[in-house]
Amino acid sequence: MSTGDKFDNKAQEMGGKVKEGVGKVTDDERLEAEGQADQSKSKAKQAGEKIKDAAKNAKDAITGN
């Protein structure tokens, strides 16, 4: 995973936490749900990138690259 991807995913996750918090404080259920959804999307992207990295590392180990 590139550094830019890591940064973007983390930024999306943090933005989601902020939205969720603001939604809770203002009693805005829609905003709170949006924040939770943003966090879930970010975590799914991070997991996908980790799987790609692991597959690349395994391939490199097998081929000796």
Side-chain angles (χ1 to χ4, degrees):
M1 179 183 335
S2 77
T3 304
D5 289 339
K6 286 180 184 178
F7 179 79
D8 290 344
N9 291 337
K10 204 56 159 167
Q12 182 179 16
E13 182 181 350
M14 297 311 293
K17 286 183 181 189
V18 170
K19 274 187 186 179
E20 181 182 8
V22 171
K24 283 181 182 179
V25 168
T26 61
D27 201 30
D28 185 338
E29 292 177 5
R30 183 189 60 79
L31 188 59
E32 188 176 346
E34 267 184 40
Q36 291 170 348
D38 287 350
Q39 291 175 70
S40 294
K41 287 178 199 174
S42 172
K43 288 177 183 178
K45 287 179 189 177
Q46 290 174 32
E49 291 294 333
K50 286 180 183 179
I51 290 169
K52 284 196 296 188
D53 287 347
K56 182 185 180 312
N57 291 339
K59 178 185 167 227
D60 289 347
I62 291 169
T63 62
N65 290 339

